[in-house]
Amino acid sequence: MVLEEDIPRFSAWIGPALLDYAASAGTAALVAAVAAWAVLAIAGGPLTAGDRVYRGILAGCADLAGTSLRRTWALARLAVQESLRRNVLVVLAVFALVLLFAGWFLDPASPNPGKLSMGFVLGVTNLLVCLVTLLLAVFSLPADIKSRAIQTVTTKPVRTAEIVLGRTLGFAAIGTALVAVMGLAGWAFVVRTVAHDHVLAADDLLEVTDAEGAVTGLAGRTSLARGHRHRVTLDASGTGVAEAEQGHRHRVTRDAAGGFTVGPAEGLLEARRPLRGTLRFLDRDGRPSAKGISVGAEWAYRQYIEGGSAAAAIWTFSDVTEAEFPDGLPLEMTVRVFRTHKGRIEDGIHGTVQLRNPVTNLRSQSFPIVAREFTIEALRVPRKLEAVLADGSVREIDLFADLVADGRVEVWLQCLEPGQYYGVAQADFFLRAGDGSFTLNYAKGCLGIWFSMLVVTALGVMFSTFLAGPVALLAALAVVLVGHFREFIARLFESQVTGDNTIQPGGGPIESLVRMATQESITVAWEPTPAVQVIQAVDTLLLAPVRLAAEVFPSLAALGTGDFVAEGFDIPLDLLAAHALEAAGFVAAFCVAGALCLKAREMAS
């Protein structure tokens, strides 16, 4: 999960968000009014067009102001009954079949089976729910208009705003029921899929002895379950933790009969609350660097540090207090590995983690780690630890008294093996500041699906007020597609305006077409010839309306929080509140636009 910026507090987010919403809504309304005036002016002249637009806006506002909740609820019930007559609940049977055969395709031996199962369930739920409600929304009203069934409604004292709002609420009620049923079934599927047990017998363990031959512990491997085993290292009393494998570990204890009991999986279904820091790098000579080394990966999200050198990745954590972490710092990390020579893959790549005081540069002892792909490593830094002084001597220090300065502490990561590289990003290291309920977090993830369903339903109803069913479906899908690539379009437009090809390589539509025809790499910058300047100027003009549309179109990916659940992070309430308000803003805008379009259609007829 890519999360490079802290989630703002809702109280700090709400003010600028409302201003942006008002500006976007006002701009969209102005553009729509001007477009309507231009179309009408062609047929009846500018004055007549202005009068019709003015009267239409007044009639629409009066229609909205006179909306009756009772009539709206009655129309919503009619929409629910219509959906049930169309056998919309068949989608539940489809979802059940998908879960029934999902076990054939979800590899239990994957690096993180919990993430795989959770991402699959939430993704399928989101797709089916949004698709069903969108189909209902775009085809219902055009079908009633075509069959003239809408006249039985409009002859009653019913306003166009009530028709639009009633259908939106009715289809949203169907979507809510689908989210609830699929969410419960998906939760049971995930819990059942990841549950497994290992067996550890005495014959599976070997004694570990010290230099004098005394037994200091036991080591071995658990039985095979769900396509994996765990290495186990126990102390002399027979207690320990099975090493992390596939994103989880197990606690091992000796039972009363002298055998060993392997506990349930820990780390698969969690809701961690992270405290994140900021990342900076040192190069192979120990000098500050703006970024790490690129190893040629297409997705340059992670930067790499060279092993066997002074290169380091340094995270600075703030707001670290003794009250928050009384027993030490629970550090969790995800480290990617790039190998220039294969070695023994099962052994991982060795490195160290060290804490430093950002003011005095006092260093703690180095904690050894072994980085393995797709595995979250956990390291608990104790309160009492040893520090390395400037003269090379070692003394015992206190974590908060000696290493934390004004709530800040640095965590240094280094790779020990020459010819190997560690790959990290800012979000890969964090302090575990607590845990939430996984069940509640899963419910929050389903709430994100519900937000997306509401937006899609209102969008479909809006387009159905003035377009035929198939055209309305295509228009809604186009809006969703543009909104999905909102961040990419913003980066592309910024790159086009500034001329900085590193922001988003590839250029606009014409430049991309030329590059594809000539098979030229998108990373190669063009020389500023007159022809290139003309192409880039035209691309800027073409991208400008797309950039404006992407700014006001909804992004279902941004509303979704499935990545938090799949990665095992608790969804912050501030983020959930922001998504709720954003979804409500889009639904309100689409309902108002749909009511005005249907009113204009009624007046034109």
Side-chain angles (χ1 to χ4, degrees), residues 468-550:
V471 182
L473 177 61
L474 291 177
L477 292 177
V479 169
V480 171
L481 187 63
V482 172
H484 182 76
F485 293 100
R486 185 167 62 188
E487 295 183 2
F488 169 79
I489 293 173
R491 293 196 306 270
L492 184 60
F493 185 74
E494 181 183 358
S495 176
Q496 195 70 27
V497 172
T498 61
D500 186 357
N501 189 51
T502 61
I503 298 176
Q504 185 61 55
I510 299 179
E511 181 179 339
S512 298
L513 183 62
V514 173
R515 288 182 182 274
M516 287 190 293
T518 58
Q519 296 185 356
E520 185 178 14
S521 173
I522 62 175
T523 59
V524 177
W526 278 357
E527 294 294 331
T529 63
V532 168
Q533 292 176 350
V534 170
I535 290 177
Q536 292 179 344
V538 174
D539 278 342
T540 302
L541 293 177
L542 294 176
L543 285 173
V546 180
R547 174 68 179 90
L548 180 62

Side-chain angles (χ1 to χ4, degrees), residues 404-420:
V404 178
D406 297 326
R408 296 186 303 121
V409 64
E410 292 182 351
V411 176
W412 290 49
L413 171 70
Q414 291 184 292
C415 179
L416 296 180
E417 300 187 22
Q420 311 290 27

